[in-house]
Amino acid sequence: ETGVTQTPRHLVMGMTNKKSLKCEQHLGHNAMYWYKQSAKKPLELMFVYSLEERVENNSVPSRFSPECPNSSHLFLHLHTLQPEDSALYLCASSQLTGTGWNTIYFGEGSWLTVV
Amino acid sequence: GENVEQHPSTLSVQEGDSAVIKCTYSDSASNYFPWYKQELGKRPQLIIDIRSNVGEKKDQRIAVTLNKTAKHFSLHITETQPEDSAVYFCAASSSSASKIIFGSGTRLSIRP
């Protein structure tokens, strides 16, 4: 299944590093999402992009910076992270039709470890 | 704000028995209720969904029921099998929102 692909699958970074997570969707959807999954909060919404505009930002610290250059690509830029940011980061996409029938398709996730 | 509560957080059932997971939602405008299954080390995947104009939907051993008045919806798995062991997430969304709200998940274990 290649609907939503994420790279890298695993990332280890120091607290002073700058890295990026990449997501690409091949489903022709008009919305993309970043979720954080950890033991404390199983599926925590971070950002939503609809038609390449950010429409949701759930009080995420500025050390996480999203970028959506087009409807198929989504990035999460990471800098000066903390150990508590270690988690699985899931990208997702959906087709927003205005009906509310919003099926989310997830990528495999990027496992991030901050040391 | 919008909220989806899910219970129980963990559930262990004997193979062959039924499992029920319950969710409540706060936004009365919610009109779509999907359920996702996440196996260990894998991505969450949609297993069944229900729209607000329907009270019940079945797909083989899986069924979902919706009570709009009480703002409750539930997932029912009958004749459970080892491959049903996973974390299950309920969710709710509405036409006015660009996001979907997930419950906190239920870890289901099937005992042999």
Side-chain angles (χ1 to χ4, degrees), chain A residues 31-76:
Chain A
M32 296 188 76
Y33 309 77
W34 280 116
Y35 283 87
K36 177 183 177 183
Q37 189 168 48
S38 62
K40 288 186 177 180
K41 293 187 178 181
L43 274 174
E44 182 182 3
L45 179 64
M46 300 176 73
F47 302 104
V48 180
Y49 275 83
S50 175
L51 297 173
E52 300 145 47
E53 279 193 46
R54 190 190 308 181
V55 296
E56 192 76 27
N57 178 347
N58 269 10
S59 303
V60 179
S62 59
R63 57 185 183 269
F64 294 92
S65 175
E67 180 189 0
C68 188
N70 55 61
S71 60
S72 299
H73 294 86
L74 184 65
F75 295 89
L76 188 63

Side-chain angles (χ1 to χ4, degrees), chain B residues 4-8 11 13 17-25 33-38 45-50 55-67 71-80 83-91 105-110:
Chain B
V4 175
E5 293 192 1
Q6 182 172 347
H7 300 280
L11 179 61
V13 300
D17 288 350
S18 297
V20 180
I21 302 171
K22 299 181 179 181
C23 290
T24 60
Y25 59 97
F33 307 91
W35 285 87
Y36 286 79
K37 175 184 180 181
Q38 187 175 25
Q45 291 193 289
L46 179 74
I47 54 170
I48 194 169
D49 56 12
I50 190 168
E56 184 175 2
K57 183 177 179 180
K58 288 184 180 179
D59 182 4
Q60 300 181 355
R61 296 186 296 108
I62 294 174
V64 58
T65 58
L66 172 65
N67 182 332
K71 296 183 189 173
H72 289 171
F73 58 113
S74 300
L75 177 72
H76 304 254
I77 306 175
T78 59
E79 300 173 15
T80 52
E83 54 264 36
D84 295 329
S85 294
V87 178
Y88 292 81
F89 293 96
C90 63
T106 296
R107 184 173 299 277
L108 175 63
S109 300
I110 308 301

Side-chain angles (χ1 to χ4, degrees), chain A residues 1 4 9 33 35 37 42-43 45 48 50 55-56 58 88 90 96 98-108, chain B residues 31-32 34 36 38 41-46 49 51-53 89 93-95 97-100 102-105:
Chain A
E1 184 182 343
V4 182
R9 295 293 313 281
Y33 309 77
Y35 283 87
Q37 189 168 48
L43 274 174
L45 179 64
V48 180
S50 175
V55 296
E56 192 76 27
N58 269 10
L88 177 66
L90 289 162
L96 295 177
T99 62
W101 303 331
N102 187 9
T103 301
I104 301 276
Y105 293 85
F106 287 93
E108 295 282 10
Chain B
N31 63 352
Y32 176 66
Y36 286 79
Q38 187 175 25
K42 297 189 176 181
R43 74 183 85 190
Q45 291 193 289
L46 179 74
D49 56 12
R51 298 177 181 178
S52 59
N53 58 347
F89 293 96
S93 71
S94 69
S95 58
S98 59
K99 61 184 179 183
I100 188 166
F102 283 91
S104 54

